Amino acid sequence: MHTFHVSLKKVVDDSYDIETGYELEQKLVEDMKNGLIGTISNVAIITDHNVKTLHAEKILTLLKQAGFHADLFVFEAGEKSKTRQTKEILEDAMLAKGFRRDCCILAVGGGVVTDLAGFIAGTYARGVPFINYATTLLAAADASVGGKTAVDTPLATNLIGLFYQPKKVYLDIAAWKTLPKRQIASGLAETVKHACLADHDFFEYLKQHVDDIWSFHPDVCEHVAQENCRIKYTVVMKDEREAGLREVLNLGHTVGRAIETVSDYRLLHGEAVSVGLAAEVNLSYQLGHMSQTERDDVLSLLERCQLPVAIPSYIDREALVQKLYTDKKVKNATLRFVIQQGIGGIVEFSDGDFAVPIKEETIRKIIMDMPKAP
């Protein structure tokens, strides 16, 4: 008998820059020409049908003018498209167009686009470089840092995927002006979540400047984008692979992801997270980790962000309770929740454990007692 040991110890530097600014398309192309993706000249632009005409076609033209071989790959916008089937269709389309290992993937769009494109990049030809060009506040708040890529299935959300880091991320604040108000509000939900879990001062800043965000005040919007990145990076840097601390970023998501699915995606991701945050602050208050004033302060800010804090009347609340068990924090068939400590902190229940088991009857009562929206 003989044993051959394969030693594969690695030291990998996955660092990258996040550039925040206005109308960054030309800067993106200049960076690519100047070595951001090495000598690669084949670029697959992945986007959705909404972003295609707003931003992706312009970037395609600029890349072609700069001498790149580039093609657009477009899918139907919305969370319903974040599936293995869409991934397969896009991959087959890339193969048919001759894209092989010597290509780069450029994601142009919001979180669904960056999630799908990053997952494809991580598996296509066993891994090709990719760049995120984020066009939504939600993507700036949630998808720009961390490298988590995934698809949804009927049985679970975001459990089929991998960690794969981009070469660079561009946050184009000018693109926010092309978004419907619901999309801006959706991004604000993740922004409020970040303030709730990590930074009371940022929470107060949002209270003071909500109207400035709606009017796209440049300094305020840049500050909001940068604070989102800072807060998420601080967590991800300490726990890239979601072994413990990174669970705090799921604040509000246990109920949020469930209600998003049960609504059949009639609610946008941020709208669902907002309802999830409303449920979570009620739970935190009940467990003694928030005062009534703090709870009401969070609910008030969410409403000022034009976000829902009540459960839509068309939602089957019992189905919602059962859907909670598909959450990725569930262990041994037990529901687990991330809980706020006041505003700007998270309860650490034991060393490195930031989610606590909650009995089904406890969260059921909170869900059943929440107000009903039209």
Side-chain angles (χ1 to χ4, degrees):
M1 181 181 292
H2 177 72
T3 300
F4 184 86
H5 176 66
V6 179
S7 180
L8 290 173
K9 294 180 182 179
K10 296 181 180 179
V11 178
V12 179
D13 185 356
D14 277 334
S15 306
Y16 61 92
D17 291 333
I18 300 173
E19 183 154 346
T20 304
Y22 291 80
E23 298 179 346
L24 297 172
E25 297 95 342
Q26 192 63 58
K27 181 63 166 60
L28 161 71
V29 176
E30 289 173 4
D31 287 347
M32 293 172 71
K33 285 174 62 178
N34 292 328
L36 178 61
I37 54 175
T39 60
I40 290 173
S41 61
N42 300 310
V43 183
I45 304 172
I46 295 180
T47 191
D48 66 37
H49 78 275
N50 287 335
V51 180
K52 174 178 177 285
T53 53
L54 290 171
H55 307 290
E57 287 180 338
K58 177 181 178 181
I59 292 173
L60 174 68
T61 299
L62 291 172
L63 284 172
K64 287 184 173 180
Q65 289 173 350
F68 288 91
H69 168 248
D71 271 299
L72 274 180
F73 298 89
V74 185
F75 63 90
E76 188 72 18
E79 189 77 22
K80 281 187 176 183
S81 292
K82 204 174 84 169
T83 64
R84 287 178 287 196
Q85 291 74 25
T86 304
K87 180 174 182 284
E88 178 183 340
I89 290 167
L90 291 168
E91 288 165 340
D92 285 348
M94 288 174 59
L95 289 170
K97 285 288 186 77
F99 285 87
R100 297 296 185 263
R101 298 191 66 179
D102 59 340
C103 76
C104 168
I105 289 176
L106 171 60
V108 181
V112 172
V113 173
T114 57
D115 268 10
L116 260 175
F119 192 10
I120 292 170
T123 58
Y124 195 82
R126 299 185 179 90
V128 298
F130 84 107
I131 300 166
N132 280 341
Y133 192 95
T135 61
T136 68
L137 173 54
L138 181 60
D142 191 40
S144 60
V145 178
K148 287 205 301 185
T149 71
V151 294
D152 301 333
T153 75
L155 297 177
T157 57
N158 289 331
L159 275 181
I160 308 298
L162 49 76
F163 292 93
Y164 197 65
Q165 305 296 345
K167 289 296 183 183
K168 187 170 180 176
V169 174
Y170 298 82
L171 305 183
D172 188 348
I173 296 174
W176 298 2
K177 295 181 181 181
T178 67
L179 298 172
K181 280 191 171 183
R182 281 185 71 194
Q183 290 284 356
I184 294 292
S186 184
L188 284 172
E190 291 284 356
T191 302
V192 172
K193 179 203 77 175
H194 283 151
C196 283
L197 70 88
D199 195 323
H200 183 269
D201 289 343
F202 186 41
F203 185 89
E204 292 297 320
Y205 181 89
L206 292 174
K207 286 170 58 178
Q208 296 170 21
H209 293 283
V210 167
D211 293 339
D212 292 326
I213 297 171
W214 287 111
S215 63
F216 301 105
H217 187 287
D219 292 341
V220 172
C221 288
E222 285 195 45
H223 182 70
V224 166
Q226 290 162 6
E227 285 298 284
N228 274 316
C229 292
R230 178 188 63 82
I231 290 169
K232 189 166 185 181
Y233 167 73
T234 300
V235 174
V236 170
M237 177 183 65
K238 297 175 182 177
D239 182 18
E240 182 188 359
R241 299 284 171 166
E242 204 165 24
L245 176 63
R246 191 163 174 168
E247 281 191 325
V248 304
L249 296 173
N250 288 305
L251 182 71
H253 280 59
T254 303
V255 173
R257 276 296 192 183
I259 200 168
E260 184 178 12
T261 306
V262 173
S263 77
D264 196 29
Y265 301 103
R266 288 167 66 177
L267 289 176
L268 298 176
H269 175 69
E271 292 171 335
V273 168
S274 178
V275 178
L277 286 170
E280 181 274 326
V281 294
N282 280 307
L283 178 59
S284 179
Y285 170 64
Q286 181 175 311
L287 296 176
H289 297 295
M290 294 186 84
S291 68
Q292 182 174 341
T293 299
E294 289 169 330
R295 179 196 65 181
D296 293 345
D297 217 9
V298 174
L299 295 174
S300 174
L301 179 56
L302 291 170
E303 289 181 317
R304 288 185 60 205
C305 291
Q306 301 183 29
L307 287 161
V309 295
I311 296 176
S313 57
Y314 58 80
I315 294 291
D316 182 330
R317 297 194 183 204
E318 187 56 41
L320 174 58
V321 171
Q322 296 309 310
K323 194 66 181 176
L324 298 176
Y325 284 94
T326 65
D327 185 72
K328 59 189 173 184
K329 293 186 297 300
V330 169
K331 290 184 178 178
N332 300 318
T334 301
L335 297 173
R336 297 168 68 250
F337 281 75
V338 175
I339 306 294
Q340 272 184 248
Q341 181 68 60
I343 295 175
I346 295 292
V347 182
E348 185 173 4
F349 293 96
S350 60
D351 187 25
D353 193 352
F354 295 88
V356 66
I358 297 293
K359 292 181 179 179
E360 182 182 303
E361 54 264 33
T362 300
I363 191 61
R364 174 186 276 109
K365 186 175 190 313
I366 285 174
I367 287 173
M368 296 303 173
D369 289 346
M370 287 181 70
K372 181 188 295 185

